[in-house]
Amino acid sequence: VRSAISDEQAAAMLREFITTEIFGLLVRELDSPDAMLRVNLVASQIVGLIIARYIVRLEPLASAPAEVVAAAVGPTMQRYLTGKLS
């Protein structure tokens, strides 16, 4: 992820992995016309969380227990996947 921020080749590799291995599975499971948008919104949350927690190490997020982070972020991701978007 760190390399993908500054290196286009690394970004392309990360994009390909996420699109193929993660998005494809979720899009098929959602089976809705806006599934790709929903999955991209989840991905934006995950990438932002990774950057804030592990690269920039924003406190108190960086040292928060994983269960606390999951409980805080989970409902937003669930809404992106199954809730109303507009």
Side-chain angles (χ1 to χ4, degrees):
V1 172
R2 187 175 299 158
S3 295
I5 293 170
S6 61
D7 182 323
E8 181 52 40
Q9 185 177 7
M13 290 172 57
L14 181 60
R15 213 173 16 253
E16 177 68 22
F17 171 77
I18 290 171
T19 301
T20 303
E21 300 299 323
I22 300 170
F23 286 9
L25 295 171
L26 287 173
V27 167
R28 285 191 297 278
E29 287 296 317
L30 289 177
D31 191 33
S32 76
D34 61 354
M36 187 57 84
L37 173 61
R38 291 175 178 278
V39 171
N40 272 264
L41 289 168
V42 169
S44 74
Q45 289 290 302
I46 293 170
V47 170
L49 186 60
I50 289 168
I51 291 169
R53 185 169 163 96
Y54 299 107
I55 296 173
V56 179
R57 296 188 176 137
L58 291 176
E59 288 296 346
L61 179 60
S63 61
E67 297 81 16
V68 170
V69 176
V73 177
T76 296
M77 291 193 191
Q78 186 65 49
R79 184 179 64 79
Y80 284 159
L81 291 172
T82 60
K84 188 172 180 177
L85 293 180
S86 57

